[in-house]
Amino acid sequence: MDTNRIYKKDMNQVFSALKKLGMAVIGQGFDEKQRLVFKEVNSFQELALQEITPLQPVKSFLFPPTETMFSYQKTEKGTRLTPEQEAGASKKKILFGLRPCDVHAIEYIQKFYNGNFPDQPISHYIENTIVVGIACATPSNACFCTTMGISPVSSSGADIFLTPTDDFFLIEFLTEKGKSIQSAFAASLKASEANDGNWKQKIEQSTINSLLEKIDVEAIKGKVNQAYDKPFWKKYSDVCIACGGCTFDCPTCTCFDVRDVMESKSDGYRYRAWDSCSFASFTLHASGHNPRNSKLERLRQRIMHKYHYTVANMQTWSCTGCGRCIRVCPVGINTRSILKDIKEALHE
Amino acid sequence: MINWSKITEATRHYLKSIFQPGDVILSYTESNTPGIMTPLVIREAEAIDKIILNPLCTQNLSVYLSEFFQQDIQSGNPAAGKWVVTVKPCDARSVIQMISDEQIAKDNLEMVVFDCDGTVTTKSLKNLLGGEIRSVKFEDHQAKGETLANKEVTADLVGSYQTKCSDSAICSLPDMHDYSFISESNRFVFHGSEKENALIQDTLSREDCFQRVSEELSKCIRCNACRNVCPACFCSDRCVMDKPKLAIPYITKEITLDQIFQYHLIRFYHVAPNCTACGECERACPQGISLSIFYRYLHRLNKQLFGAESGSSDSDKQKLLSYRFGEDLV
């Protein structure tokens, strides 16, 4: 694999070349109120790659919070359906500077939505997106990627991968998609030097040293269902307030709700919007019966989904250890301690 | 200045003296992540020693009370003992308001208010310490911590306390007739410095105000965190927002600006008479929306228009419920 250097001072040149290719660059930066978010950026200086990851997940650029699927108009000649989903999906974008946890999350979303019944709009969003990953040198104290088996410098899933140093990035073009925009970088690429191969390891070591703890989850893989009836869930459900913060900020939560809106007798539309298994209305049946009526059942469902059901059905954890659920929880529920409790319960 | 380890010690001591088997205590402890506290539900006397009180105890524990009492009523199996809740003075106002709204029963409740000279959110603490936190301790208005990069930092907390801590209308003790207060000096002192926190309603024109509110709300993702942490929102699973299945719903689930406005305006009007401006909605918001635009304004309107201060006494009834025609309002 060819590795090149690209100097930070040359990045604006790259950004304008990408603009010329008709690509929108999305990366983490500060909004007008100094909140760290993923947003469209025009110059390299607008990026804040040295910060921790934004709380807001990058999935909203691939799986919009709300999307009108189609609208209908009833006329004398019949009913006309107008599909409305394609517009956003066909826009070409680059997600610039995603940490390995977020890159893995995109890989998961892609896998999830391309099962037996592929979700076309989401596939289109992903097809038209180029992912530029970056080695993570600034974890938060909630991060636990290594627990979930992801290295902070893993380039798997990325089209292009960057390793940051003080004044340059090491850049690797990993996939065909990545190589398709290599021309925008070409003018600024410099040859790498002999010791450049060590940077990645150095970052990996220092990041792993900063991570607070690693839980050995291999021991519980495929067995989490045995903890289904253990008493420790109550400890967490007692304090859970059943908001959807953790699910909406989770980069791998994929649930949505589909509803119809009748605007007039002849017009209306169907939309889909993010939904959350923390909400009581999520599983509410038309009869009034709710199979997951208590907070305990709903909290357990979320954890079981992440750490058991997808392991059983898709052979993968649906958690990348990004720590957003821990950072967002208004009542301090900690996914890492739930994992530890599961492990402990299985050992009893 | 408050010595938090003394307050913690005194609270544990008091709770041990009143605890009977069957009682349930609500308090705080440290979570697994440094810089984040979590509520603690105690059912055994031994667990009282897990209680830790410090300026990071931001959560308003009163929100759990209505839920526990509802469960009691629904299960037809009332708690064997009493409910004990340890709260800050600002949160005591929420408890008092819930009693006045008949959401919880006073006779089965023991409220223990602990002295507090300001709380700081995890987010401001991180800003203050200049990075991700590995460990943190509190002494004399100071946070002493270590960052993930193993750097030792000491920072002054004054100036970083939550907005409500500098407002004596929110940071004050309610009518404490039937409740206990734990402090070193046995009397409540307002520690904040009264800051003039101008609201956008004062400084901006109607149009600019609408513009600002729209900008803020456009970030909303409808996760319902503001509603679920709110002690004034006690409809639990019967909330109107959870009924998008009605043939013509009041509100759809779309995350679009008009539906977001609908959501926040419904909430604004619903909590108008009983919001105590505890600020939990703003703290819990994952998107960092300044919900104070709403609740601080509400607090002031209530006082100006009705002479009402929510949460000051459990025998006061909401003005909207108790108003008699012809009565002078202010």
Side-chain angles (χ1 to χ4, degrees):
Chain A
M1 187 71 56
D2 270 5
T3 304
N4 282 297
R5 279 187 180 192
I6 186 162
Y7 281 84
K8 289 186 179 170
K9 60 179 168 50
D10 295 334
M11 283 307 286
N12 273 334
Q13 217 175 311
V14 175
F15 274 44
S16 32
L18 289 171
K19 268 259 152 71
K20 275 186 200 137
L21 291 176
M23 315 218 62
V25 182
I26 289 152
Q28 67 181 67
F30 289 99
D31 71 357
E32 69 286 351
K33 289 195 72 193
Q34 293 307 302
R35 290 178 280 221
L36 188 63
V37 292
F38 282 113
K39 60 165 193 175
E40 188 166 341
V41 292
N42 293 310
S43 71
F44 181 67
Q45 283 72 28
E46 281 179 55
L47 290 174
L49 295 173
Q50 72 290 353
E51 300 291 328
I52 59 171
T53 48
L55 204 47
Q56 167 210 51
V58 77
K59 71 177 177 190
S60 49
F61 293 98
L62 307 170
F63 171 32
T66 298
E67 210 176 15
T68 305
M69 302 171 81
F70 59 79
S71 56
Y72 67 83
Q73 297 81 34
K74 246 183 181 166
T75 59
E76 284 147 13
K77 289 178 194 159
T79 306
R80 199 158 58 100
L81 291 183
T82 320
E84 302 211 354
Q85 258 173 320
E86 292 302 312
S90 58
K91 206 175 155 201
K92 291 211 182 299
K93 340 182 178 37
I94 298 184
L95 300 180
F96 193 94
L98 295 196
R99 312 296 167 98
C101 52
D102 286 348
V103 176
H104 277 78
I106 292 178
E107 250 188 321
Y108 170 80
I109 289 184
Q110 189 169 21
K111 200 170 167 188
F112 179 85
Y113 279 119
N114 278 300
N116 294 341
F117 303 97
D119 187 306
Q120 281 189 354
I122 289 175
S123 302
H124 284 166
Y125 268 108
I126 295 178
E127 264 165 40
N128 289 319
T129 301
I130 294 178
V131 178
V132 182
I134 191 168
C136 176
T138 44
S140 80
N141 66 359
C143 289
F144 57 105
C145 58
T146 51
T147 293
M148 302 325 296
I150 296 168
S151 153
V153 298
S154 156
S155 60
S156 143
D159 298 308
I160 297 174
F161 193 73
L162 304 173
T163 308
T165 72
D166 289 341
D167 44 352
F168 61 87
F169 295 108
L170 293 172
I171 186 166
E172 298 162 76
F173 294 88
L174 299 166
T175 63
E176 285 310 313
K177 233 197 224 174
K179 284 175 188 151
S180 72
I181 55 163
Q182 194 163 355
S183 60
F185 293 83
S188 318
L189 294 181
K190 302 281 184 313
S192 57
E193 290 176 17
N195 291 332
D196 282 356
N198 300 337
W199 281 108
K200 225 187 228 184
Q201 264 186 323
K202 244 195 219 164
I203 292 175
E204 182 173 33
Q205 210 44 55
S206 91
T207 303
I208 288 178
N209 287 344
S210 314
L211 291 179
L212 285 187
E213 61 184 328
K214 185 182 172 186
I215 305 155
D216 175 23
V217 287
E218 283 308 310
I220 58 167
K221 200 167 187 174
K223 292 191 281 194
V224 179
N225 57 338
Q226 293 168 20
Y228 194 81
D229 286 328
K230 302 287 183 192
F232 71 85
W233 297 104
K234 191 158 170 49
K235 192 164 77 183
Y236 300 103
S237 69
D238 266 348
V239 297
C240 175
I241 53 166
C243 74
C246 50
T247 52
F248 280 19
D249 276 350
C250 176
T252 62
C253 268
T254 42
C255 289
F256 59 80
D257 195 6
V258 176
R259 294 195 182 279
D260 295 341
V261 176
M262 196 170 82
E263 288 175 306
S264 69
K265 270 191 171 169
S266 59
D267 289 70
Y269 62 93
R270 171 170 294 179
Y271 69 89
R272 68 170 167 190
W274 289 0
D275 204 353
S276 163
C277 55
S278 312
F279 299 159
S281 62
F282 186 72
T283 44
L284 185 63
H285 291 183
S287 65
H289 170 66
N290 195 339
R292 288 203 286 270
N293 206 13
S294 71
K295 280 193 306 187
L296 189 148
E297 291 161 303
R298 301 203 286 272
L299 180 135
R300 182 174 58 196
Q301 163 63 25
R302 181 174 143 76
I303 299 295
M304 293 297 279
H305 183 182
K306 300 265 166 230
Y307 305 103
H308 188 71
Y309 303 142
T310 54
V311 172
N313 299 331
M314 294 166 65
Q315 291 74 48
T316 174
W317 307 105
S318 48
C319 167
T320 63
C322 71
R324 287 188 174 89
C325 47
I326 299 175
R327 282 159 62 194
V328 73
C329 184
V331 295
I333 293 177
N334 192 307
T335 314
R336 286 192 305 223
S337 10
I338 300 182
L339 280 176
K340 280 201 278 195
D341 278 343
I342 292 175
K343 217 177 140 187
E344 222 168 87
L346 290 186
H347 275 293
E348 271 163 16
Chain B
M1 260 176 280
I2 281 180
N3 181 329
W4 283 101
S5 42
K6 274 194 185 153
I7 291 284
T8 305
E9 221 24 77
T11 307
R12 286 181 190 169
H13 184 78
Y14 178 71
L15 290 175
K16 280 177 193 164
S17 73
I18 60 162
F19 186 85
Q20 301 286 328
D23 289 356
V24 180
I25 302 177
L26 271 168
S27 193
Y28 301 90
T29 191
E30 273 168 346
S31 86
N32 189 288
T33 305
I36 303 180
M37 299 297 283
T38 186
L40 176 69
V41 182
I42 295 171
R43 294 189 171 87
E44 324 272 318
E46 299 83 66
I48 292 177
D49 281 329
K50 286 191 195 161
I51 293 177
I52 294 170
L53 305 175
N54 65 27
L56 284 169
C57 294
T58 41
Q59 292 106 354
N60 184 344
L61 300 184
S62 65
V63 70
Y64 297 107
L65 288 174
S66 62
E67 188 189 309
F68 284 146
F69 275 89
Q70 276 175 25
Q71 274 172 12
D72 260 17
I73 294 165
Q74 277 165 11
S75 66
N77 182 15
K82 56 188 178 303
W83 299 99
V84 185
V85 62
T86 61
V87 286
K88 309 182 288 286
C90 50
D91 301 342
R93 305 172 67 83
S94 304
V95 178
I96 297 268
Q97 185 61 34
M98 287 167 115
I99 295 170
S100 126
D101 288 340
E102 296 176 18
Q103 289 306 308
I104 53 181
K106 188 178 173 180
D107 31 332
N108 204 23
L109 179 79
E110 164 104 31
M111 179 162 76
V112 181
V113 185
F114 60 85
D115 204 359
C116 164
D117 52 3
T119 49
V120 58
T121 61
T122 307
K123 205 170 139 197
S124 3
L125 184 67
K126 279 184 185 175
N127 287 341
L128 206 55
L129 297 180
E132 291 291 306
I133 307 160
R134 190 179 285 277
S135 66
V136 63
K137 282 209 168 66
F138 297 96
E139 275 166 38
D140 298 346
H141 285 296
Q142 281 195 327
K144 289 184 178 171
E146 197 190 339
T147 63
L148 272 193
N150 296 323
K151 212 173 89 188
E152 301 217 357
V153 213
T154 304
D156 212 355
L157 288 176
V158 183
S160 292
Y161 288 130
Q162 288 184 277
T163 328
K164 62 175 174 181
C165 304
S166 57
D167 186 340
S168 60
I170 303 168
C171 179
S172 60
L173 275 187
D175 176 4
M176 289 289 289
H177 202 64
D178 297 322
Y179 312 102
S180 345
F181 179 56
I182 294 184
S183 78
E184 288 173 76
S185 57
N186 253 324
R187 68 195 173 88
F188 177 77
V189 186
F190 172 63
H191 294 276
S193 55
E194 195 83 49
K195 264 193 287 187
E196 196 51 58
N197 293 302
L199 301 174
I200 55 162
Q201 285 87 344
D202 304 331
T203 50
L204 298 181
S205 69
R206 234 181 145 78
E207 289 72 27
D208 290 348
C209 207
F210 180 75
Q211 184 61 29
R212 259 296 301 284
V213 173
S214 309
E215 275 167 26
E216 284 292 323
L217 292 190
S218 65
K219 306 211 178 327
C220 175
I221 51 172
R222 301 274 310 271
C223 70
N224 291 339
C226 52
R227 178 194 71 180
N228 290 22
V229 284
C230 179
C233 266
F234 38 63
C235 298
S236 91
D237 294 348
R238 280 161 294 284
C239 176
V240 62
M241 323 273 196
D242 286 337
K243 292 196 164 57
K245 291 182 185 174
L246 295 175
I248 302 170
Y250 304 105
I251 178 167
T252 74
K253 283 187 139 185
E254 287 165 292
I255 307 164
T256 51
L257 195 57
D258 58 335
Q259 294 302 320
I260 292 171
F261 256 98
Q262 177 85 337
Y263 170 89
H264 288 279
L265 289 178
I266 290 177
R267 230 181 76 74
F268 179 80
Y269 284 110
H270 276 188
V271 302
N274 53 351
C275 167
T276 59
C278 73
E280 278 292 89
C281 44
E282 178 162 309
R283 183 190 64 83
C285 180
Q287 297 293 87
I289 298 171
S290 306
L291 288 161
S292 56
I293 291 176
F294 293 131
Y295 72 79
R296 290 182 64 84
Y297 185 54
L298 261 182
H299 200 245
R300 186 204 287 177
L301 274 188
N302 257 332
K303 206 165 179 180
Q304 280 176 353
L305 298 177
F306 305 105
E309 239 184 284
S310 304
S312 40
S313 161
D314 58 23
S315 48
D316 285 357
K317 285 282 166 252
Q318 287 180 12
K319 261 288 177 276
L320 289 179
L321 295 178
S322 60
Y323 175 74
R324 298 256 175 266
F325 190 68
E327 183 187 335
D328 273 344
L329 275 173
V330 183

Short mmCIF file of all heavy atoms in Angstrom, two decimals, chain B residues 297-308 319-320 323 327-330:
data_model
loop_
_atom_site.label_atom_id
_atom_site.label_comp_id
_atom_site.label_asym_id
_atom_site.label_seq_id
_atom_site.Cartn_x
_atom_site.Cartn_y
_atom_site.Cartn_z
N TYR B 297 -38.09 32.49 31.08
CA TYR B 297 -39.12 33.45 30.71
C TYR B 297 -40.42 33.11 31.45
O TYR B 297 -41.09 33.98 32.00
CB TYR B 297 -39.31 33.40 29.19
CG TYR B 297 -40.27 34.41 28.64
CD1 TYR B 297 -40.11 35.77 28.91
CD2 TYR B 297 -41.32 34.01 27.82
CE1 TYR B 297 -41.00 36.70 28.39
CE2 TYR B 297 -42.20 34.93 27.30
CZ TYR B 297 -42.04 36.27 27.58
OH TYR B 297 -42.91 37.18 27.07
N LEU B 298 -40.73 31.80 31.48
CA LEU B 298 -41.92 31.32 32.18
C LEU B 298 -41.90 31.74 33.64
O LEU B 298 -42.88 32.21 34.20
CB LEU B 298 -41.92 29.80 32.17
CG LEU B 298 -42.75 29.07 31.16
CD1 LEU B 298 -42.63 27.59 31.40
CD2 LEU B 298 -44.18 29.51 31.27
N HIS B 299 -40.74 31.51 34.25
CA HIS B 299 -40.58 31.79 35.66
C HIS B 299 -40.89 33.25 35.93
O HIS B 299 -41.59 33.60 36.88
CB HIS B 299 -39.12 31.47 36.05
CG HIS B 299 -38.93 31.24 37.51
ND1 HIS B 299 -38.17 32.07 38.28
CD2 HIS B 299 -39.41 30.28 38.32
CE1 HIS B 299 -38.19 31.62 39.52
NE2 HIS B 299 -38.93 30.54 39.56
N ARG B 300 -40.38 34.10 35.05
CA ARG B 300 -40.59 35.53 35.25
C ARG B 300 -42.05 35.93 34.98
O ARG B 300 -42.65 36.67 35.75
CB ARG B 300 -39.67 36.31 34.32
CG ARG B 300 -39.74 37.80 34.60
CD ARG B 300 -39.35 38.59 33.43
NE ARG B 300 -37.91 38.51 33.20
CZ ARG B 300 -37.33 39.09 32.16
NH1 ARG B 300 -38.05 39.74 31.27
NH2 ARG B 300 -36.04 39.01 32.00
N LEU B 301 -42.62 35.37 33.89
CA LEU B 301 -44.01 35.70 33.56
C LEU B 301 -44.95 35.34 34.70
O LEU B 301 -45.85 36.10 35.06
CB LEU B 301 -44.45 34.93 32.32
CG LEU B 301 -44.15 35.52 30.96
CD1 LEU B 301 -44.84 34.70 29.90
CD2 LEU B 301 -44.61 36.96 30.89
N ASN B 302 -44.71 34.15 35.28
CA ASN B 302 -45.55 33.69 36.37
C ASN B 302 -45.58 34.69 37.51
O ASN B 302 -46.60 34.95 38.12
CB ASN B 302 -45.01 32.36 36.90
CG ASN B 302 -45.82 31.20 36.40
OD1 ASN B 302 -47.01 31.35 36.13
ND2 ASN B 302 -45.19 30.05 36.27
N LYS B 303 -44.40 35.22 37.79
CA LYS B 303 -44.28 36.16 38.90
C LYS B 303 -44.94 37.49 38.54
O LYS B 303 -45.70 38.05 39.32
CB LYS B 303 -42.80 36.36 39.22
CG LYS B 303 -42.57 36.76 40.65
CD LYS B 303 -41.11 36.57 40.99
CE LYS B 303 -40.88 37.01 42.43
NZ LYS B 303 -39.49 36.86 42.82
N GLN B 304 -44.64 37.98 37.32
CA GLN B 304 -45.15 39.27 36.90
C GLN B 304 -46.67 39.27 36.77
O GLN B 304 -47.36 40.18 37.22
CB GLN B 304 -44.54 39.67 35.56
CG GLN B 304 -43.14 40.23 35.69
CD GLN B 304 -42.53 40.53 34.34
OE1 GLN B 304 -43.09 40.20 33.29
NE2 GLN B 304 -41.36 41.15 34.36
N LEU B 305 -47.21 38.24 36.12
CA LEU B 305 -48.63 38.24 35.80
C LEU B 305 -49.49 37.74 36.93
O LEU B 305 -50.59 38.23 37.16
CB LEU B 305 -48.89 37.40 34.56
CG LEU B 305 -48.22 37.86 33.27
CD1 LEU B 305 -48.51 36.88 32.15
CD2 LEU B 305 -48.70 39.24 32.89
N PHE B 306 -49.00 36.72 37.65
CA PHE B 306 -49.85 36.08 38.65
C PHE B 306 -49.31 36.22 40.07
O PHE B 306 -49.93 35.74 41.00
CB PHE B 306 -50.01 34.59 38.34
CG PHE B 306 -50.52 34.30 36.96
CD1 PHE B 306 -49.68 33.84 35.98
CD2 PHE B 306 -51.86 34.53 36.64
CE1 PHE B 306 -50.15 33.58 34.71
CE2 PHE B 306 -52.34 34.27 35.37
CZ PHE B 306 -51.48 33.80 34.39
N GLY B 307 -48.16 36.82 40.21
CA GLY B 307 -47.54 36.90 41.53
C GLY B 307 -47.24 35.53 42.09
O GLY B 307 -47.18 35.33 43.29
N ALA B 308 -47.07 34.56 41.20
CA ALA B 308 -46.91 33.18 41.65
C ALA B 308 -45.47 32.74 41.54
O ALA B 308 -44.79 33.07 40.59
CB ALA B 308 -47.78 32.25 40.81
N LYS B 319 -51.89 28.98 40.43
CA LYS B 319 -52.83 30.08 40.18
C LYS B 319 -53.87 29.69 39.14
O LYS B 319 -55.04 30.05 39.22
CB LYS B 319 -52.06 31.31 39.71
CG LYS B 319 -51.82 32.33 40.84
CD LYS B 319 -53.10 33.03 41.23
CE LYS B 319 -52.95 33.97 42.38
NZ LYS B 319 -53.04 33.36 43.71
N LEU B 320 -53.46 28.91 38.15
CA LEU B 320 -54.41 28.55 37.10
C LEU B 320 -55.51 27.64 37.64
O LEU B 320 -56.58 27.53 37.06
CB LEU B 320 -53.70 27.85 35.94
CG LEU B 320 -52.80 28.75 35.09
CD1 LEU B 320 -52.14 27.94 33.99
CD2 LEU B 320 -53.60 29.89 34.49
N TYR B 323 -57.49 30.27 40.82
CA TYR B 323 -57.94 31.64 40.55
C TYR B 323 -59.46 31.75 40.63
O TYR B 323 -60.19 30.91 40.13
CB TYR B 323 -57.45 32.05 39.15
CG TYR B 323 -57.96 33.39 38.70
CD1 TYR B 323 -57.44 34.57 39.25
CD2 TYR B 323 -58.98 33.48 37.76
CE1 TYR B 323 -57.92 35.80 38.86
CE2 TYR B 323 -59.46 34.72 37.37
CZ TYR B 323 -58.93 35.87 37.91
OH TYR B 323 -59.41 37.10 37.54
N GLU B 327 -60.62 38.13 41.22
CA GLU B 327 -59.53 38.19 42.19
C GLU B 327 -58.37 39.04 41.63
O GLU B 327 -58.07 38.98 40.45
CB GLU B 327 -59.03 36.76 42.45
CG GLU B 327 -57.95 36.63 43.47
CD GLU B 327 -57.42 35.19 43.54
OE1 GLU B 327 -58.17 34.26 43.18
OE2 GLU B 327 -56.26 35.02 43.93
N ASP B 328 -57.79 39.84 42.50
CA ASP B 328 -56.62 40.61 42.07
C ASP B 328 -55.44 39.66 41.90
O ASP B 328 -55.17 38.87 42.78
CB ASP B 328 -56.25 41.67 43.12
CG ASP B 328 -57.04 42.94 42.89
OD1 ASP B 328 -57.59 43.07 41.76
OD2 ASP B 328 -57.12 43.76 43.81
N LEU B 329 -54.75 39.80 40.80
CA LEU B 329 -53.71 38.81 40.53
C LEU B 329 -52.39 39.08 41.22
O LEU B 329 -51.80 38.21 41.83
CB LEU B 329 -53.51 38.66 39.03
CG LEU B 329 -54.49 37.68 38.41
CD1 LEU B 329 -54.38 37.67 36.91
CD2 LEU B 329 -54.27 36.28 38.96
N VAL B 330 -51.89 40.28 41.10
CA VAL B 330 -50.53 40.49 41.64
C VAL B 330 -50.60 41.28 42.95
O VAL B 330 -51.36 42.21 43.07
CB VAL B 330 -49.66 41.21 40.63
CG1 VAL B 330 -48.23 41.37 41.17
CG2 VAL B 330 -49.62 40.43 39.34
#
